Every structure is written in C-alpha cells, then in structure tokens.
Amino acid sequence: MTNTRGSLFDPTFGSGDAAALVSDQAWVTAMLDVEAALSRAAAQHGLVDAAHAEIVSTVSSELGMPGVVDLAELGARSAVGGNPVIPLVEILRRAVASRGVPGSAVHPGATSQDIVDSALMLLTQRSLTAIRSSIGGAITAGAHLARVHRDTPIAGRTLGQQALPTTFGAVVAGWVAGLARADDVLARAEVSLAIQFGGAAGTSAALFPYGPKVADTLADELGLAHQGVPWHTERTRMGEVAGALGVVAGAIAKPALDITLLASTEVGEVEEAAPGGSSAMPHKRNPVAAITARAAVKRVPGLVATMLSSMEHEHQRAAGAWHAEWETLTDLLRLVAGGAHQVAVSISGLKVHVDAMARNLDITHGLLLAERVTTALSDHTDSAREIVTVACASGSPLDEDPSISEFLDPDVVRELLDPAQYLGHAGDIVDRVVADVHTRSEGRS
C-alpha cells in the first residue's frame, strides 16, 4: 500500500524529498535495518549462526523494499501491542523460517524499544544530513550575496522604523552567521545519535555476558555512535536533538521573515527569483519560498516543547512518553528539513533592487542620520540634541534648518547626511562572516 501521508502539503513547505526520509516506509525500512544489523552483531559474538544472520539480512532488505510490507495492515496490527516492532518481527521470523532459519536468529536479546529507538536514530541521522546540506547551500549563497553587496547601503530598521544606515551585505551576513551557528549546533547533536540496546529492562540479561559487546558491534554495523549504557528512560539524547532542531528553525525563520518584509510592495528592496502569484490578483509577486520556510518552522517550537516534556520517563519503560516521541520527532525532522530547503531556495535566487534601497534611504530626507548631525553639532553647542530633535519634528530637511545652519554649513550637513559615509563597521562584519564561511568550507573539503 502506498504511503501518502503529507503528499499534499509537504511539497509546498519544501518537505517533498525530506518527507521520504521519515515516511512510514522509511520507518519500516529502518527497523528492518536494525534487526538485520542486530543479527549480524550477535553472529560476530557467536550468539547467532553467521549463515543465518546473512539470511536475516537478505530477507530484511527484501521486506524493506517499498510495497512489500503492507503499511496499513502493519499499523493495524501494531495497535494490539502498542508499537510496530512486535508484528514486524513476526513477519520477519515467518519469512526467514521459510528459508530454514530459526526464530532465535531474529531479534536476539532485544526489546521493542531497542529497535524503535535505534531506527529513529537512523532516520534522524539521514534527515540531519539532508538538513545540513540545505543549510550549507543557504550559507554559501548568503556569503556570496553578502560579498557582492558588502558596501550597498540600506536603511537599518529597529522596531519597524528606519534607524541608521547599514549595508545589505551586513544584513545578509547576519543571516549567514546565524545559520552557521545553527549548523554547528546540528553537528554537535549528531554526536548524540547512538544506538539503543538494553533488552527487556535495560540490563541485557538475555545476552549476558555479551550484552555491551553486541551493543557496540550493533552501533558499528549501523554507523551510529556507541551508547555507553542503555538509555531506555534517560532521554537527554532526544532532548539534545529536539533542541538543536529548534535552534535551526529559529535561524531559518530570521532570513525568511526579513526577506518577506523586504519584498513587500512598499519596500521592494528584494525579490525572489521565482515569486508566486495569486489566484485572484495577477499583479502579486509573493516571496513564496521565504513564506513557506516560515510556515514550516512556525510549528517547530511546539513540537520541541512536546519532546522536552516527554523526557520524564518512569522506571525502565515509559507508559506514553516514549510513544509520544515517534511522530513528534518525525514531524520535527520533516518540517526543519522543509524550512531549510525553502530558505536556501529563497536566498540562492534573491534579486536585490539597489535602486529601491537608495530610494528608501532618502524618504526621510536624511533624518535617519540625525545622530551624525547631532554629533557634529555638539562640537559647537551644548544644545545639539535639542536643536536636531526640534528640526526633525519640523519635517524640513536638516540641511535647510536655520538653527542647524547657524553652526554648520549646509554643504557640511549634506555630507553628513550621506548614508554611504556612515556605515560603521558594516564592511568589516561582512568580511569576518565571509572569511568564516571560507574557513568552514576548507575544513569540510
């Protein structure tokens, strides 16, 4: 049966490809990957016949192909025991039994949570790779954009109002710095992706004295970190991953929001390469990639809260809190991956309208540089701030105000009002961020 969950909206929110990494089919395949790896790990320590382990691996691979296991039927059967591992193991054991393999070669020493948690770590690992790839694309595109517009003046805005001039390069450098830090958080979270293996109550009693050795071999087989000790009800790993995804969501939301605002009709300073239209208004050019990136990550904080509130697991197996993690983390991965993809699309194709930036810098007739005029005027009078404040309130250009020209020549005032001459360290900020991106790129190559 085809899995269609999310097929209508996932492409809109950028999650089309990413959704496949955490789909119901991906879950089943990952659980079978864990079962196969466990049989091989047990065989390496003499607990399962090596030939039987290879057959288990082959059959698991066959069952993990799309359409082989009926997902709807598996889901219905999962309800009885409260998780999908129980019926899946039955399917696997029946399949290998037809090839002469005893049931003991499947699921040796494991409990359902071992398989579910390890499978979820596999799904997370694969999803983080996709997320970091998109974030990396956004960082690279942003660094290029910042470099090109290192010295392009733009109105800085605080509390929704024009403040002092900055450069568009510095604005984008801020986006890039945030995305780079978020990528670092993800990299650290990847270290937490360890297998789970402890058996019925976390002591691996069924495999004594080989439990820890089998666990480490299982981790190596799956390409996940060693667990150290079983973590059935110690959920800091889950909290770390969820928290990291929350940070990434915030880093995505920042440029997505800025681009949406800068693309508004009245501002018009940027435009996406492929803006979306409207079913009713032919003139609309909506920054759809930025908008849908925002939409995707808007749902993330609530999911992070669910993950964190689910960390309190009782005794050696949680009644409900563990189960609450499965779809929650799956949705987190899907949404963050979608948001990362869409923000990369938005930044990569961003068109910059320098003329609009210059126009908007001029709409206050220099008032956004009143601070600079005040500083210059203070060399001549102790009433500089009061004079400039009154002049700003009058609405007249500062270079025409007689109370200012009494101390400063109008040509001097006009020079002080040139945004390009009051950009502070905007260029230095861009240089630092671009250099950091270059260093990161070299470190990965």
Side-chain angles (χ1 to χ4, degrees):
M1 181 176 180
T2 302
N3 176 33
T4 58
R5 179 175 180 264
S7 58
L8 178 61
F9 294 113
D10 279 337
T12 295
F13 298 117
S15 307
D17 293 335
L21 297 175
V22 290
S23 67
D24 291 349
Q25 179 61 58
W27 262 102
V28 170
T29 300
M31 289 186 289
L32 287 166
D33 288 344
V34 176
E35 291 288 1
L38 176 56
S39 292
R40 294 194 302 271
Q44 291 186 44
H45 297 282
L47 302 174
V48 169
D49 182 272
H52 291 165
E54 286 307 311
I55 293 174
V56 172
S57 293
T58 299
V59 173
S60 294
S61 179
E62 294 170 354
L63 291 173
M65 297 295 291
V68 177
V69 174
D70 188 316
L71 301 180
E73 181 184 350
L74 181 65
R77 292 175 59 189
S78 300
V80 177
N83 73 78
V85 175
I86 298 170
L88 189 62
V89 169
E90 292 176 0
I91 292 171
L92 180 56
R93 281 179 170 154
R94 281 200 305 270
V96 300
S98 67
R99 304 189 191 187
V101 175
S104 58
V106 175
H107 204 65
T111 190
S112 295
Q113 185 169 359
D114 293 331
I115 307 304
V116 170
D117 283 354
S118 295
L120 187 50
M121 290 297 96
L122 277 180
L123 296 180
T124 300
Q125 182 186 65
R126 296 162 185 170
S127 297
L128 291 191
T129 298
I131 292 169
R132 294 192 66 196
S133 176
S134 292
I135 293 294
I139 289 171
T140 299
H144 172 73
L145 199 60
R147 185 170 57 249
V148 170
H149 292 282
R150 177 186 187 275
D151 302 313
T152 301
I154 186 176
R157 296 172 171 95
T158 63
L159 306 182
Q161 305 291 308
Q162 287 196 4
L164 292 175
T166 180
T167 70
F168 186 61
V171 170
V172 178
W175 303 345
V176 172
L179 290 168
R181 286 180 61 84
D183 184 60
D184 290 340
V185 172
L186 278 186
R188 291 191 293 272
E190 284 183 316
V191 179
S192 299
L193 304 182
I195 61 104
Q196 166 76 280
F197 191 74
T203 63
S204 292
L207 294 183
F208 183 83
Y210 300 102
K213 293 180 179 180
V214 171
D216 289 347
T217 304
L218 173 61
D220 295 337
E221 287 283 336
L222 292 172
L224 293 171
H226 290 192
Q227 67 179 1
V229 297
W231 45 280
H232 286 154
T233 52
E234 191 282 287
R235 309 306 280 183
T236 52
R237 284 180 173 84
M238 290 298 192
E240 289 169 4
V241 170
L245 290 170
V247 169
V248 175
I252 291 168
K254 165 58 178 171
L257 176 57
D258 278 358
I259 290 168
T260 302
L261 295 173
L262 293 174
S264 64
T265 303
E266 291 80 4
V267 178
E269 294 176 351
V270 301
E271 178 184 351
E272 288 187 345
S278 164
S279 63
M281 296 170 285
H283 67 283
K284 294 292 291 295
R285 297 181 65 79
N286 301 316
V288 171
I291 289 168
T292 51
R294 290 190 69 207
V297 299
K298 274 286 186 183
R299 288 173 280 173
V300 167
L303 294 170
V304 173
T306 298
M307 288 296 296
L308 296 180
S309 67
S310 297
M311 288 178 64
E312 187 181 47
H313 287 206
E314 70 275 14
H315 302 306
Q316 282 66 57
R317 184 82 74 254
W322 170 50
H323 308 72
E325 294 173 344
W326 309 339
E327 286 189 310
T328 304
L329 184 52
T330 296
D331 287 343
L332 267 174
L333 293 167
R334 179 173 53 84
L335 291 169
V336 174
H341 170 74
Q342 290 293 58
V343 83
V345 168
S346 182
I347 295 174
S348 297
L350 206 61
K351 297 178 181 179
V352 180
H353 298 307
V354 176
D355 55 341
M357 293 177 179
R359 180 197 69 221
N360 291 333
L361 277 168
D362 193 48
I363 61 175
T364 65
H365 304 294
L367 293 188
L368 81 167
L369 284 159
E371 176 188 74
R372 194 181 188 198
V373 175
T374 300
T375 300
L377 194 62
S378 65
D379 291 335
H380 304 279
T381 173
D382 293 335
S383 302
R385 179 175 176 79
E386 290 77 5
I387 291 172
V388 175
T389 298
V390 171
C392 288
S394 72
S396 300
L398 297 184
D399 61 335
E400 298 177 5
D401 191 280
S403 61
I404 295 176
S405 59
E406 178 183 347
F407 301 98
L408 297 174
D409 186 272
D411 288 337
V412 173
V413 176
R414 279 189 284 274
E415 183 177 344
L416 292 172
L417 297 179
D418 180 2
Q421 303 304 314
Y422 199 62
L423 298 173
H425 290 285
D428 297 330
I429 291 169
V430 172
D431 293 343
R432 284 194 174 192
V433 171
V434 169
D436 177 65
V437 171
H438 180 69
T439 300
R440 293 167 65 91
S441 178
E442 286 189 332
R444 289 184 178 181
S445 61

PDB file of all heavy atoms in Angstrom, residues 336-350:
ATOM      1  N   VAL A 336      11.736  20.921   9.696  1.00  0.00           N
ATOM      2  CA  VAL A 336      13.001  21.661   9.658  1.00  0.00           C
ATOM      3  C   VAL A 336      13.708  21.431   8.327  1.00  0.00           C
ATOM      4  O   VAL A 336      14.292  22.358   7.744  1.00  0.00           O
ATOM      5  CB  VAL A 336      13.901  21.276  10.841  1.00  0.00           C
ATOM      6  CG1 VAL A 336      15.278  21.931  10.716  1.00  0.00           C
ATOM      7  CG2 VAL A 336      13.252  21.706  12.161  1.00  0.00           C
ATOM      8  N   ALA A 337      13.645  20.208   7.823  1.00  0.00           N
ATOM      9  CA  ALA A 337      14.233  19.932   6.513  1.00  0.00           C
ATOM     10  C   ALA A 337      13.541  20.763   5.429  1.00  0.00           C
ATOM     11  O   ALA A 337      14.200  21.318   4.539  1.00  0.00           O
ATOM     12  CB  ALA A 337      14.134  18.446   6.189  1.00  0.00           C
ATOM     13  N   GLY A 338      12.211  20.849   5.505  1.00  0.00           N
ATOM     14  CA  GLY A 338      11.485  21.650   4.535  1.00  0.00           C
ATOM     15  C   GLY A 338      11.828  23.122   4.631  1.00  0.00           C
ATOM     16  O   GLY A 338      12.059  23.794   3.617  1.00  0.00           O
ATOM     17  N   GLY A 339      11.878  23.640   5.858  1.00  0.00           N
ATOM     18  CA  GLY A 339      12.223  25.044   6.047  1.00  0.00           C
ATOM     19  C   GLY A 339      13.628  25.356   5.562  1.00  0.00           C
ATOM     20  O   GLY A 339      13.873  26.398   4.944  1.00  0.00           O
ATOM     21  N   ALA A 340      14.568  24.448   5.839  1.00  0.00           N
ATOM     22  CA  ALA A 340      15.955  24.644   5.397  1.00  0.00           C
ATOM     23  C   ALA A 340      16.044  24.667   3.881  1.00  0.00           C
ATOM     24  O   ALA A 340      16.758  25.495   3.287  1.00  0.00           O
ATOM     25  CB  ALA A 340      16.842  23.536   5.969  1.00  0.00           C
ATOM     26  N   HIS A 341      15.309  23.768   3.252  1.00  0.00           N
ATOM     27  CA  HIS A 341      15.312  23.733   1.786  1.00  0.00           C
ATOM     28  C   HIS A 341      14.744  25.023   1.209  1.00  0.00           C
ATOM     29  O   HIS A 341      15.332  25.626   0.295  1.00  0.00           O
ATOM     30  CB  HIS A 341      14.486  22.537   1.297  1.00  0.00           C
ATOM     31  CG  HIS A 341      14.244  22.549  -0.182  1.00  0.00           C
ATOM     32  ND1 HIS A 341      15.232  22.248  -1.091  1.00  0.00           N
ATOM     33  CD2 HIS A 341      13.123  22.848  -0.914  1.00  0.00           C
ATOM     34  CE1 HIS A 341      14.739  22.348  -2.323  1.00  0.00           C
ATOM     35  NE2 HIS A 341      13.467  22.713  -2.237  1.00  0.00           N
ATOM     36  N   GLN A 342      13.624  25.476   1.744  1.00  0.00           N
ATOM     37  CA  GLN A 342      12.975  26.656   1.188  1.00  0.00           C
ATOM     38  C   GLN A 342      13.777  27.931   1.430  1.00  0.00           C
ATOM     39  O   GLN A 342      13.816  28.815   0.563  1.00  0.00           O
ATOM     40  CB  GLN A 342      11.565  26.810   1.770  1.00  0.00           C
ATOM     41  CG  GLN A 342      10.570  25.750   1.293  1.00  0.00           C
ATOM     42  CD  GLN A 342      10.238  25.858  -0.187  1.00  0.00           C
ATOM     43  OE1 GLN A 342      11.128  25.794  -1.031  1.00  0.00           O
ATOM     44  NE2 GLN A 342       8.968  26.019  -0.495  1.00  0.00           N
ATOM     45  N   VAL A 343      14.431  28.051   2.574  1.00  0.00           N
ATOM     46  CA  VAL A 343      15.208  29.268   2.809  1.00  0.00           C
ATOM     47  C   VAL A 343      16.441  29.278   1.914  1.00  0.00           C
ATOM     48  O   VAL A 343      16.897  30.343   1.463  1.00  0.00           O
ATOM     49  CB  VAL A 343      15.583  29.407   4.304  1.00  0.00           C
ATOM     50  CG1 VAL A 343      16.825  28.590   4.677  1.00  0.00           C
ATOM     51  CG2 VAL A 343      15.809  30.887   4.654  1.00  0.00           C
ATOM     52  N   ALA A 344      16.984  28.091   1.618  1.00  0.00           N
ATOM     53  CA  ALA A 344      18.104  28.021   0.686  1.00  0.00           C
ATOM     54  C   ALA A 344      17.661  28.446  -0.710  1.00  0.00           C
ATOM     55  O   ALA A 344      18.380  29.168  -1.417  1.00  0.00           O
ATOM     56  CB  ALA A 344      18.678  26.609   0.659  1.00  0.00           C
ATOM     57  N   VAL A 345      16.467  28.013  -1.125  1.00  0.00           N
ATOM     58  CA  VAL A 345      15.920  28.412  -2.422  1.00  0.00           C
ATOM     59  C   VAL A 345      15.742  29.928  -2.465  1.00  0.00           C
ATOM     60  O   VAL A 345      16.098  30.592  -3.455  1.00  0.00           O
ATOM     61  CB  VAL A 345      14.567  27.710  -2.684  1.00  0.00           C
ATOM     62  CG1 VAL A 345      13.852  28.326  -3.882  1.00  0.00           C
ATOM     63  CG2 VAL A 345      14.787  26.221  -2.907  1.00  0.00           C
ATOM     64  N   SER A 346      15.204  30.488  -1.394  1.00  0.00           N
ATOM     65  CA  SER A 346      14.933  31.923  -1.349  1.00  0.00           C
ATOM     66  C   SER A 346      16.217  32.737  -1.453  1.00  0.00           C
ATOM     67  O   SER A 346      16.339  33.636  -2.289  1.00  0.00           O
ATOM     68  CB  SER A 346      14.192  32.274  -0.051  1.00  0.00           C
ATOM     69  OG  SER A 346      13.889  33.647   0.000  1.00  0.00           O
ATOM     70  N   ILE A 347      17.194  32.407  -0.624  1.00  0.00           N
ATOM     71  CA  ILE A 347      18.442  33.179  -0.603  1.00  0.00           C
ATOM     72  C   ILE A 347      19.224  32.983  -1.893  1.00  0.00           C
ATOM     73  O   ILE A 347      19.806  33.929  -2.442  1.00  0.00           O
ATOM     74  CB  ILE A 347      19.293  32.780   0.615  1.00  0.00           C
ATOM     75  CG1 ILE A 347      18.577  33.182   1.912  1.00  0.00           C
ATOM     76  CG2 ILE A 347      20.670  33.433   0.563  1.00  0.00           C
ATOM     77  CD1 ILE A 347      19.273  32.703   3.183  1.00  0.00           C
ATOM     78  N   SER A 348      19.232  31.763  -2.404  1.00  0.00           N
ATOM     79  CA  SER A 348      20.041  31.455  -3.589  1.00  0.00           C
ATOM     80  C   SER A 348      19.602  32.250  -4.810  1.00  0.00           C
ATOM     81  O   SER A 348      20.434  32.602  -5.657  1.00  0.00           O
ATOM     82  CB  SER A 348      19.969  29.958  -3.901  1.00  0.00           C
ATOM     83  OG  SER A 348      20.509  29.192  -2.850  1.00  0.00           O
ATOM     84  N   GLY A 349      18.316  32.528  -4.926  1.00  0.00           N
ATOM     85  CA  GLY A 349      17.840  33.230  -6.114  1.00  0.00           C
ATOM     86  C   GLY A 349      17.420  34.664  -5.858  1.00  0.00           C
ATOM     87  O   GLY A 349      16.704  35.255  -6.680  1.00  0.00           O
ATOM     88  N   LEU A 350      17.851  35.223  -4.752  1.00  0.00           N
ATOM     89  CA  LEU A 350      17.353  36.543  -4.367  1.00  0.00           C
ATOM     90  C   LEU A 350      17.839  37.637  -5.312  1.00  0.00           C
ATOM     91  O   LEU A 350      19.035  37.752  -5.598  1.00  0.00           O
ATOM     92  CB  LEU A 350      17.793  36.861  -2.938  1.00  0.00           C
ATOM     93  CG  LEU A 350      16.914  37.829  -2.151  1.00  0.00           C
ATOM     94  CD1 LEU A 350      15.502  37.271  -2.000  1.00  0.00           C
ATOM     95  CD2 LEU A 350      17.518  38.082  -0.776  1.00  0.00           C
TER      96      LEU A 350
END
